[in-house]
Amino acid sequence: MDITIHQAFLPHDDPDASLAFYRDALGFEVRKDVGYDGMRWITVGPPGMPGTSLVLHPPAADPGITEDERRTIAEMMAKGTYASIILAAPDLDAVFEKLQAGNAEVAQEPIEQPYGIRDCAFRDPAGNMVRIQETR
């Protein structure tokens, strides 16, 4: 079988702040920026990897969720417990310094984990946990 991860989804509640984080701070390319009914879906991805994308979506857009569920999602996003993603980079310290200089919210400075991974963590503007592992 030849299966790849094509897209992953993370919620956002401020498209411009999300663009500043994913495009300007992380250096991802904007592949699509689609608006509909006052909402925006923004597709970004790492340069040189057109087959892998991250879709930043408005969490309230799903017509199948209730108002109570929307409130719960908003509460979880505010606490940073709703969604997360793990990225990887060969120079973790450089990525950390760039994000920290851009005023991204640091959740964990670079550290060698007891399970053999060196990583750091940030919260994106929507509260999503963004962990970055060092590739070796």
Side-chain angles (χ1 to χ4, degrees):
M1 294 177 64
D2 187 13
I3 298 173
T4 61
I5 297 172
H6 183 62
Q7 294 180 330
F9 287 74
L10 283 179
H12 76 79
D13 52 8
D14 182 337
D16 294 326
S18 291
L19 277 172
F21 182 80
Y22 287 96
R23 179 193 60 206
D24 303 337
L26 284 176
F28 283 5
E29 298 173 331
V30 176
R31 302 205 172 125
K32 291 183 185 174
D33 190 340
V34 179
Y36 174 75
D37 202 21
M39 296 177 282
R40 281 170 68 189
W41 287 256
I42 304 166
T43 304
V44 298
M49 297 182 70
T52 303
S53 296
L54 180 60
V55 180
L56 307 170
H57 67 94
D62 186 342
I65 62 175
T66 67
E67 285 305 315
D68 284 341
E69 291 168 328
R70 282 186 175 86
R71 277 191 295 279
T72 299
I73 290 168
E75 291 169 3
M76 291 178 73
M77 285 175 64
K79 290 184 350 184
T81 58
Y82 184 66
S84 64
I85 191 166
I86 298 175
L87 306 174
D91 189 346
L92 183 66
D93 294 319
V95 172
F96 180 82
E97 288 174 18
K98 182 178 181 185
L99 287 171
Q100 188 177 35
N103 295 321
E105 182 182 343
V106 176
Q108 174 202 300
E109 293 190 8
I111 187 171
E112 187 75 34
Q113 298 290 357
Y115 43 87
I117 299 292
R118 185 166 184 265
D119 72 353
C120 66
F122 291 87
R123 285 184 53 179
D124 78 2
N128 301 307
M129 183 63 65
V130 178
R131 298 195 73 80
I132 305 169
Q133 297 180 346
E134 185 172 65
T135 54
R136 299 179 182 178

